[in-house]
Amino acid sequence: MISYFKKMSGGGQCPPRVRPSEIFWSWIGAFLGITPVAFLNYNLFAGSDFVYIIGSFGASAVLIYGAVRSPLAQPRNLVGGHILSAFIGVASYKLFYPCPWFAAAFSVATAIAFMHLTQTLHPPGGATALIAVIGSQKIHALGFWYILIPVGVGVIIMLTVALIVNNMAKTRKYPEFWI
């Protein structure tokens, strides 16, 4: 029992501070990656029933612009994790909507399991699945369109910006791998 609690003491080292140039490129990437998705949402399609931005895109921005070498930030994980999780989230809502607490828990747990199975683990994918369940009526009205818009379109836009911005700096390379 003591060894169980001893694990909680940590023991590793804090990673070193990043260089100012990394902070600069992370900021530029996140700003340029979120801008087109937010612009679509708030300007071009504001009067439509579609939603073009979801909260999990912010978490994806942290990974693909701020931790570009992380295996969790690679295109396979970004695209696969979001698309798979969006499908699981919508299916969970449709199957279990009379019991929203169960649908919420089931969607996130199942999304994690399937991302592990498909080697597409992307932590914001859990939020994408959860948003499909706990989101607004506008999100629920999208049904399985949620997978394409906002998730698919937003992820492709953010990936395109990541490929352009992350390779502009001499010290960065993106992606580390595709498949």
Side-chain angles (χ1 to χ4, degrees):
M1 189 67 154
I2 291 175
S3 65
Y4 173 78
F5 287 108
K6 193 172 183 176
K7 290 179 183 177
M8 297 179 196
S9 67
Q13 291 186 341
C14 183
R17 189 179 297 260
V18 298
R19 293 184 310 254
S21 65
E22 282 297 310
I23 296 170
F24 171 79
W25 286 109
S26 296
W27 190 92
I28 293 293
F31 182 80
L32 295 177
I34 293 294
T35 293
V37 179
F39 186 82
L40 282 171
N41 189 68
Y42 292 111
N43 294 301
L44 293 182
F45 301 103
S48 75
D49 289 337
F50 286 109
V51 175
Y52 281 87
I53 192 166
I54 55 175
S56 58
F57 289 169
S60 288
V62 172
L63 285 170
I64 66 174
Y65 308 118
V68 299
R69 300 191 71 185
S70 168
L72 306 175
Q74 301 309 306
R76 173 190 176 104
N77 300 69
L78 172 69
V79 176
H82 272 293
I83 298 295
L84 184 63
S85 297
F87 176 80
I88 290 168
V90 172
S92 296
Y93 176 75
K94 288 188 174 292
L95 289 171
F96 307 116
Y97 72 88
C99 193
W101 66 266
F102 180 81
F106 184 84
S107 68
V108 175
T110 306
I112 292 170
F114 275 85
M115 286 189 286
H116 271 305
L117 284 171
T118 58
Q119 296 180 307
T120 58
L121 190 64
H122 185 68
T128 296
L130 186 60
I131 290 166
V133 175
I134 67 168
S136 67
Q137 274 304 111
K138 202 171 180 180
I139 292 283
H140 294 154
L142 293 173
F144 284 101
W145 280 105
Y146 175 75
I147 300 165
L148 182 62
I149 301 171
V151 175
V153 170
V155 163
I156 294 303
I157 290 170
M158 291 178 67
L159 174 61
T160 302
V161 172
L163 290 169
I164 294 168
V165 172
N166 288 335
N167 289 309
M168 293 174 78
K170 289 182 181 176
T171 57
R172 286 183 167 211
K173 173 185 170 284
Y174 184 82
E176 293 294 317
F177 59 88
W178 278 95
I179 297 178

